[in-house]
Each structure stands twice: as C-alpha cells, then as structure tokens.
Amino acid sequence: MSTLPDRHIDRLLRSLFACVVFLTVLCLWRLSHEGPCAALVLPGLIWCAITCGLLHYRLQRKRFVLEFYLDEASRLRGLFRRPLLAVTSSLLAAAPLAAFLAVFAALSRPSDWYFLCAAAVAVPLLFVAAVRWPGSHLRPDTSGGVAGPSYRGPSLREVLAVRIAGWLVLAGMLGAYLYFGYYYIAAPGGVIYPGSLEGTLQAFAARAASACPAVHDTLLVANRIEGLSWYVVTTMTTAPWMQDAVRLLVWIAFLFNSAMVFGGFVRGLEGAVLLAGAAARFRRE
C-alpha cells in the first residue's frame, strides 16, 4: 500500500490550514455583519482570496497565449505580457462572486454550513490527489517571466491541480445543494403570507439588520428578493397553466444564485491554497 511522500503531506496540511482560515473569515463575517462598517474588511479579505484564485489561472492562460500563439515580434506580446490586464479582470470578476458569497453567509442557515465545511475539506484532498495525477504528467516549472522577471508564482502543476479540484467540488456542492434544497430543506416558517405579497416582503425584510448602512441596504434588497421567490413558489404556482413556467424560472434563478455563491467559495478556497503555497516558498527562500 503506497503512502504519501512527505512533500505531499506537507502540502495537504498547509492547504487544509489555508482553507480552514478562509472558512473562519467567512464565519467571522457571519457573526459580525450586524456590527459597524469596520466588519467590511472581512468581505475584503474574501475578495482578495477569490482574486488570487482567478489571477494565477489567468496568468497561466496568458503564458500559454504568449508562448504558443503570439509571435515574438508582435506588439500584442508586449501588451499581454504586462500583468495589469490580468489583475484588473481578476479583480472585476471576483467582485460579484465575493458579494454573492458575503450576502449568502450573512443570511445563511446552519444547514448551509455543512456544505461549506465539506468543501473546505474536499478541496485540499482533491488538490493533493490532482497534483499526484494527472499533475505528475505536467511540467513542474514556475510562471517566471509571465508578469515580469521578478515574479515567481505557483507552478503550472499546482494551478491546474487546484482548478481541477475546485471544479469537482463545485459540481458536487451544486448537485448536493439542489437535491437537498428540493427534497429536504423546508420553506422558512412564519414569514410567508399566501394572501399578501407585501406582508411576505416585509416579513423577510425584517430579518435584515446591520449598523452599517451599506450592509443593511444590501441585505434588505437580498431579503426582499428571497421573499418574492418564496412567495412565487408557494402561491403563484397553483395555476395549472403557469405552474411549470414559474417553477422553471424560479429554479433557474436558484441555480444561478447557488452557482455564484459556491463558485465564489470554491475560487476563494483555490486562492487560499495557492497563497499558502506561496507563503511556504517565501519561507524556504
């Protein structure tokens, strides 16, 4: 029976610690979002982790374009060689993912955290497995030269391995969340009034509370949208001619929201794993 080499054990422990730290930051935001605006530093950290996960993958894609598509004499080669475009696009792409994840965590129920905790454990395990195979067939070089001669990012093997692990975990999370959300997670009680849309929206809006105006307004809008979706599901679907259409639209919206939330969480875990690897290399050097 084969055992993991020491370097893989170290990578696994380091990645597990990084994912637990990321999950802890998200939990702290859940506990402190009702406080002053200083708590917004926690979603900021989440945004940074998601950006890191996106950035390193885009840098590797840019490297592929530079080496295999663009001629060395092309002016576009110099333009794409600069990291500004990749950094800017990663920051912009990470912003909605971080926002959806922060709102989800603030309004989450205890059952939601089972999925998040499972993902925080699964990503490091699958990451180490993917590093061993198919990562063993990839070049173990680093990304030096992609963003300048002084840049030393994670290896191609690490970036692709963590992305493979992320996609597998994301697919599993979405499938499990949709299944349990349809069959086992009941509608919230005491806040849905079948005869009054306004009463339902007010009951959901009453759950939004924060001393920070920006957070309060965001949660207020999110709660009203959630209340509207539950009202549609529980009341408007009684008409036979519109039942299937409304149900389809609601489930598309539910799937989109879940994909954004769990996509942001998984990208954040990927970023945390890559940051942990970068910290380990920095200590060795």
Side-chain angles (χ1 to χ4, degrees), residues 1 16 23 31 44 72 96 126 130 201 209-210 218 236-237 252 281:
M1 180 177 179
L16 277 171
L23 184 65
L31 298 175
E72 293 184 1
L126 291 175
L201 296 182
S210 178
T218 301
M236 296 181 65
T237 55
I252 289 176
R281 283 190 298 272

Side-chain angles (χ1 to χ4, degrees), residues 261-276:
V261 169
F262 294 139
F265 184 69
V266 169
R267 296 289 93 88
L269 293 177
E270 293 174 7
V273 169
L274 295 177
L275 285 173

Side-chain angles (χ1 to χ4, degrees), residues 26 29 43 46 97-107 219:
L26 194 64
W29 164 247
I46 294 170
L97 295 176
F100 271 83
L101 180 57
V103 171
F104 174 83
L107 303 177
L219 295 182

Side-chain angles (χ1 to χ4, degrees), residues 125-211:
L125 293 174
L126 291 175
F127 166 62
V128 173
V131 167
R132 298 191 71 187
W133 190 90
S136 60
H137 298 280
L138 301 176
R139 295 180 298 177
D141 57 342
T142 60
S143 304
V146 175
S150 61
Y151 174 82
R152 292 187 61 82
S155 66
L156 174 65
R157 177 182 298 177
E158 291 175 325
V159 173
L160 292 185
V162 78
R163 180 51 66 98
I164 291 172
W167 278 117
L168 291 175
V169 171
L170 179 58
M173 286 183 73
L174 281 176
Y177 193 73
L178 291 175
Y179 174 79
F180 285 100
Y182 187 85
Y183 288 105
Y184 294 102
I185 299 178
V191 291
I192 301 176
Y193 300 94
S196 174
L197 173 60
E198 184 62 28
T200 300
L201 296 182
Q202 289 180 358
F204 272 87
R207 303 188 306 171
S210 178

